[in-house]
Amino acid sequence: MNIKRHGAALGLAAASALLLSACGSDNNAPAQSGSGAASGVNVDCGGKKQLTGEGSSAQTNAIQEFVAAYAAKCQGFDVAYNPTGSGNGIKQFTSKQVDFGGTDSPLKDDEVAKAAERCQSNPAWHLPLVFGPVAVAYNLPGVDGLVLNPETTAKIFNGQVKKWNDPAIKALNGSANLPDKDIVVFFRSDESGTTDNFQKYLQASAKSAWTQGGGKQFKGGVGEGKAKSQGVSDGVKATEGAITYVESSFAKSAKLGVAKIDSGAGPVELTDATAGKAIASAKIKGQGNDMVIDLDALYASKEAGAYPLVLVTYELVCSKGYDADTTKAVKAFLGTAAGPGQDNLTKVGYVPLPKEFRTKLQDAVKAIA
């Protein structure tokens, strides 16, 4: 995953600088330590003065928003987050080097055991605090509101559909003036959680058309690879007839066309509301407060008005096993992140969590002991 990665990279030192600016905000006057009274969410501030986290860079800008909200809630408390990637986040969390980890994929079986050991024989929980929509972005002058379905999307990205006026695309777009022009596919050349999730989406929603498999390396076998989200969005912007998969913030900043997705109940435009509807109906396959999302069900959903192609990033936390000071601070920070921390995520390329989903997360945070 690489949601608006060009915006910032928040290391341990940068986090402290962020907090200084957040605490000085005239628009978000901090509450006194211990009260957490601002913004309508009951946060019990206290405990460890500085938490540490590491992991997914996809959520960097969201973490910045969470930290700023936490600074406004709990004066004098801060968080240092190092965006070194999901793998490192898991390793640092399980080895007890940080208080929480960030990852765009749930723990594997062997990692579950290591996490439980780190949490003093208690399970670790996945808390899905960050969602970002992925756009199927294109550059086709004169064609607005392009509609694609999962099967046609899969066939474009594995080379079965090669022309913009292919009958499969024409059937979805009525009287649109589709040119007799080659489709130029751009894909991520680096290992990418965005690629992983996009291919999971194709596997779940277009099983008969996408047989190439999944993973963080693109398996489609066609197109031109570019590094990072900025690379693929720049490639499409510079190439008429091009298409890619990329986080929505990059598509918007490059002013690319964004395809509507028809999963079987009509075309759905990518908006906060349509992505939020998909999140609100997402099924949780984890047990109890371990909120692992069933991505197969989410990606294969045919719910009307829901845009299913979204990425999820989890915070890994101990359900029990922290010392008392860390427990209190973790609950205060994550409670803020699941509350007012969500309010400004749209401006940095993420989807604020729907109210019902926030409530589930806040209940899970409260259950940390």
Side-chain angles (χ1 to χ4, degrees):
M1 291 168 64
N2 202 4
I3 303 169
K4 199 159 176 133
R5 183 173 295 171
H6 65 301
L10 180 62
L12 297 176
S16 297
L18 168 69
L19 285 158
L20 289 174
S21 63
C23 289
S25 171
D26 292 334
N27 297 324
N28 227 349
Q32 292 300 311
S33 176
S35 70
S39 301
V41 173
N42 183 22
V43 173
D44 186 12
C45 302
K48 190 174 182 178
K49 286 288 186 177
Q50 179 167 294
L51 292 172
T52 56
E54 184 162 346
S56 171
S57 59
Q59 64 176 6
T60 300
N61 291 357
I63 292 289
Q64 290 181 339
E65 294 297 324
F66 298 162
V67 171
Y70 182 48
K73 282 283 188 183
C74 302
Q75 185 175 5
F77 292 83
D78 61 15
V79 178
Y81 183 79
N82 197 11
T84 57
S86 295
N88 284 329
I90 291 170
K91 290 176 183 176
Q92 293 293 80
F93 175 73
T94 56
S95 63
K96 213 171 182 177
Q97 298 302 303
V98 293
D99 300 313
F100 66 94
T103 178
D104 52 23
S105 299
L107 297 174
K108 299 180 177 65
D109 289 345
D110 62 325
E111 293 168 339
V112 168
K114 291 178 182 177
E117 183 179 351
R118 179 257 191 271
C119 296
Q120 299 187 34
S121 301
N122 297 292
W125 288 344
H126 301 77
L127 301 183
L129 280 161
V130 182
F131 286 81
V134 175
V136 180
Y138 65 95
N139 178 352
L140 203 59
V143 179
D144 296 322
L146 179 74
V147 178
L148 295 173
N149 62 15
E151 291 76 15
T152 303
T153 303
K155 289 179 179 179
I156 289 171
F157 282 90
N158 64 17
Q160 294 181 63
V161 170
K162 303 177 185 294
K163 293 276 190 178
W164 280 109
N165 64 346
D166 185 282
I169 301 178
K170 291 178 71 173
L172 293 166
N173 287 276
S175 60
N177 186 22
L178 296 166
D180 182 14
K181 191 176 187 68
D182 289 342
I183 298 173
V184 181
V185 170
F186 283 91
F187 62 87
R188 288 282 295 274
S189 59
D190 52 322
E191 285 200 355
S192 163
T194 309
T195 298
D196 188 22
N197 280 270
F198 181 64
Q199 293 184 141
K200 285 178 180 175
Y201 164 73
L202 295 178
Q203 286 178 295
S205 63
K207 293 179 181 179
S208 62
W210 186 266
T211 59
Q212 285 70 35
K216 293 188 176 183
Q217 289 283 4
F218 180 68
K219 303 284 182 63
V222 296
E224 181 178 347
K226 294 286 187 180
K228 309 296 182 185
S229 297
Q230 192 68 54
V232 293
S233 59
D234 286 348
V236 173
K237 185 175 183 178
T239 309
E240 285 192 15
I243 193 169
T244 194
Y245 55 92
V246 70
E247 295 88 336
S248 64
S249 60
F250 285 87
K252 289 177 182 177
S253 64
K255 297 182 179 179
L256 302 177
V258 174
K260 299 176 182 178
I261 292 179
D262 188 344
S263 299
V268 179
E269 184 179 357
L270 194 172
T271 67
D272 283 349
T274 59
K277 186 171 183 179
I279 295 167
S281 61
K283 297 178 181 177
I284 296 171
K285 66 179 183 180
Q287 299 297 312
N289 291 311
D290 185 26
M291 296 178 63
V292 176
I293 301 296
D294 186 342
L295 285 179
D296 288 344
L298 175 63
Y299 290 156
S301 171
K302 300 181 185 299
E303 182 177 0
Y307 185 91
L309 183 47
V310 295
L311 311 181
V312 56
T313 298
Y314 301 96
E315 311 312 325
L316 295 174
V317 298
C318 291
S319 58
K320 295 180 182 179
Y322 294 121
D323 61 75
D325 281 348
T326 302
T327 298
K328 190 160 190 174
V330 164
K331 293 176 74 170
F333 171 62
L334 295 178
T336 304
Q342 297 287 320
D343 293 345
N344 293 318
L345 291 188
T346 297
K347 70 180 183 182
V348 288
Y350 306 91
V351 180
L353 298 175
K355 181 179 178 181
E356 298 81 2
F357 202 92
R358 294 194 198 193
T359 299
K360 292 178 184 177
L361 275 169
Q362 289 163 350
D363 288 344
V365 171
K366 291 174 185 175
I368 297 171

